[in-house]
Amino acid sequence: MNISIDVQEQEKQTTIKLAGEIDAYTAPKLRETAFPYTEKEEADIVIDLSGVTYMDSTGLGVFVGLFKSLNANNGTMKLIGLSDRLKRLFDITGLADIMNINSGSEGGV
């Protein structure tokens, strides 16, 4: 169970590209890497999930935490590149109603 996290900062936007599985084993690494970016005032974060093959509830919890941290600091988060399976996961949990989600790899960064 591995996860690859690639962070690119360009001017005011931070893009975090993920690949692999987001589960109880890899979620702490994702949280540790991504949270510092959410604590900046008015951060603009794009998370590319096009390389994610699996995500469980632990992964969803990380995204909820990131979302809350960004909201507290007047920041924004956009999720792009969701597979149909991941999109469904966000839909079922109701997170798709509160988070900015663009499915498909063309997500519009």
Side-chain angles (χ1 to χ4, degrees):
M1 307 215 182
N2 276 334
I3 187 169
S4 166
I5 304 171
D6 179 37
V7 179
Q8 296 178 354
E9 293 185 81
Q10 292 180 325
E11 295 185 25
K12 294 184 178 184
Q13 186 177 77
T14 301
T15 301
I16 302 173
K17 187 171 175 91
L18 304 175
E21 299 179 356
I22 305 173
D23 56 24
Y25 298 103
T26 61
K29 181 179 178 183
L30 173 56
R31 184 180 295 113
E32 181 181 300
T33 303
F35 257 93
Y37 297 101
T38 69
E39 295 171 337
K40 297 176 183 175
E41 190 66 25
E42 296 183 4
D44 180 17
I45 297 179
V46 174
I47 302 178
D48 184 347
L49 299 169
S50 59
V52 174
T53 56
Y54 173 82
M55 182 164 53
D56 67 9
S57 60
T58 313
L60 286 174
V62 171
F63 287 104
V64 169
L66 295 173
F67 182 75
K68 286 182 176 181
S69 178
L70 282 161
N71 278 347
N73 294 298
N74 299 311
T76 60
M77 177 175 75
K78 181 190 295 185
L79 303 178
I80 64 170
L82 282 74
S83 65
D84 289 343
R85 179 181 241 171
L86 286 181
K87 175 75 168 83
R88 192 164 158 254
L89 189 60
F90 280 88
D91 286 340
I92 289 170
T93 57
L95 293 174
D97 295 334
I98 60 169
M99 294 183 180
N100 184 354
I101 297 176
N102 292 323
S103 51
S105 57
E106 74 286 344
V109 176

